Amino acid sequence: MLQFIYSQLIRLLLPYILLRLWWGGRHSPDLRRNWAQRLGFAPAVSAPVIWVHAVSVGETIAAAPMVRRLLVRNPNVTILMTAMTDTGLAQAQTMFGKKVQYAYVPYDTPGAVNRFLARVQPSILVIMETEIWPNLISQSRKARVPVFLINARLSERSARGYERVRSLARPVMQSISWVAAQAEQDAARFRRIGVAADKVAVTGSVKFDVDIEPRVRKQAQQLKAHFGGRPVWIAGSTHDGESRQLLKTHRKLLAAVPDALMIIVPRHPERFELVASAVKKAGFRLARRSLNDSPDAAQVYLGDTMGELMMLYGASDLAFIGGSLIERGGHNPLEPAAWGIAVISGPHVFNFESIYKCLQEHDGVTIVESAGELLVCLSRLLNNQQALHESGQRALAVVESNRGALDRVVAGISQRV
């Protein structure tokens, strides 16, 4: 009954959702051009199809090594990658070009999902992390499409939320063919909210199997050479509410490290211009990646391009992970860790609970409680090359010692197809 009510509510909200989509398309034309995909009118895809859904940029990056492995194992299969956001699809296209096909995921109404399934006819659906949409999962199951939840994580707060709507959540959870959980606490929560125990496995996080392509390594080396040996710290995936704090921190840092360069990469492209204005208003000399500005005289380098965060981490000496000084839950710290650079984060990291726990256990990340503590940490590390190097190596060691989840995930999918 609750799923019926949920579906009716989504239908009622659909005109407003489409209007918001049209409004957002002012700055992202693809949102308007491909709006029909949201209603299930997917592009033609040659069978057989493996459908991989990753909601946005972070999940798309995490899915990349798995997609590459699937392409090698199944050369005659079409991989269809879907995302909810334009940035997620742009990231996928940057990584895979014409090797895979792309579409926006349908809105979660029975009609849109059924149209999508009828047009695509996937052999399996692989969902990254916790994109749990009731109609998407239940309709896929009715169409005899196995649904795999990969790299799955579930916070205690989310688990309690699902328990409050048990009559809606339990049938959906029972429709999932296999959950590959990041950690035992995630697996326990999935079992608690209705996934059968024999359908849940702890595989670890595939994000430890981060894959840095040779092309990306070369680009990072070239950019680092342009920085001319200056100490460089990057604030990656920053959000509204953090940029001002970080810019103030950099102003104070310049008193201790006068030639320091800050790279700031906003999480969402609609904030590129806002952050550029904030940098100028704060009195910094600005260089913009999108304009190919020279960083020689810059104090702040704005990463205002899509799909280049991994490369920018590789051109840096130290990384601060955004979304953590405010209560957004943080972002993936393993991308800079895989480069062997020091990693710093604010205290709000609940989106990556198990990963941060692992890094902390091996002293592979520094958690700061405030912008003031961040300044102290930046000053200490950038003025001590040995400590900076050792911190980065500890982070890299955590990544290397935890690789292997991808093999377990791919093997698990293969056994169940």
Side-chain angles (χ1 to χ4, degrees), residues 107-285:
Y107 288 133
D108 201 42
T109 66
V113 172
N114 283 333
R115 274 191 295 273
F116 193 95
L117 290 168
R119 294 169 74 91
V120 173
Q121 296 187 348
S123 302
I124 62 171
L125 168 56
V126 178
I127 300 175
M128 296 301 297
E129 302 199 5
T130 36
E131 268 295 277
I132 300 173
W133 292 97
N135 287 317
L136 180 68
I137 292 175
S138 59
Q139 298 298 108
S140 295
R141 190 62 173 170
K142 286 178 183 176
R144 299 183 181 276
V145 177
V147 179
F148 302 136
L149 203 60
I150 300 303
N151 212 44
R153 55 186 172 86
L154 189 67
S155 68
E156 180 60 29
R157 181 167 61 178
S158 295
R160 288 197 296 266
Y162 284 118
E163 286 178 318
R164 283 194 288 269
V165 288
R166 187 179 297 272
S167 60
L168 172 64
R170 185 165 287 273
V172 175
M173 297 303 164
Q174 291 173 343
S175 296
I176 297 174
S177 303
W178 188 51
V179 173
Q182 292 188 21
E184 179 53 44
Q185 61 263 37
D186 298 303
R189 290 166 189 154
F190 277 108
R191 290 191 289 264
R192 199 173 95 203
I193 64 173
V195 182
D198 63 344
K199 294 182 178 179
V200 181
V202 179
T203 58
S205 174
V206 300
K207 291 187 175 180
F208 284 105
D209 293 280
V210 59
D211 183 13
I212 305 175
E213 299 176 77
R215 170 186 60 83
V216 174
R217 290 189 181 276
K218 183 177 180 181
Q219 290 174 342
Q221 290 169 357
Q222 291 171 340
L223 182 58
K224 195 173 183 67
H226 284 306
F227 293 154
R230 298 169 62 186
V232 179
W233 73 285
I234 181 171
S237 295
T238 63
H239 289 261
D240 186 31
E242 283 184 315
S243 299
R244 191 171 300 172
Q245 295 182 69
L246 295 168
L247 290 172
K248 286 181 178 178
T249 298
H250 188 56
R251 174 62 69 195
K252 294 175 182 177
L253 177 67
L254 290 175
V257 190
D259 60 340
L261 176 66
M262 174 191 187
I263 303 176
I264 185 166
V265 186
R267 179 67 175 178
H268 300 112
E270 58 267 26
R271 295 190 60 246
F272 289 164
E273 293 300 329
L274 292 173
V275 174
S277 296
V279 172
K280 292 177 182 177
K281 188 176 180 179
F284 291 108
R285 296 189 298 274

Side-chain angles (χ1 to χ4, degrees), residues 354-385:
S354 60
I355 289 175
Y356 272 98
K357 182 180 178 182
C358 186
L359 284 166
Q360 286 181 278
E361 286 173 351
H362 296 86
D363 201 18
V365 65
T366 302
I367 302 294
V368 296
E369 296 295 327
S370 64
E373 287 190 18
L374 173 61
L375 173 62
V376 172
C377 187
L378 289 171
S379 301
R380 176 178 62 83
L381 289 173
L382 292 178
N383 279 313
N384 187 332
Q385 288 299 306

Side-chain angles (χ1 to χ4, degrees), residues 307-333:
E308 290 198 315
L309 179 58
M310 178 64 88
M311 183 276 293
L312 292 171
Y313 279 136
S316 307
D317 300 306
L318 182 156
F320 170 79
I321 310 301
S324 61
L325 279 179
I326 58 174
E327 293 190 28
R328 289 301 296 258
H331 292 289
N332 184 9

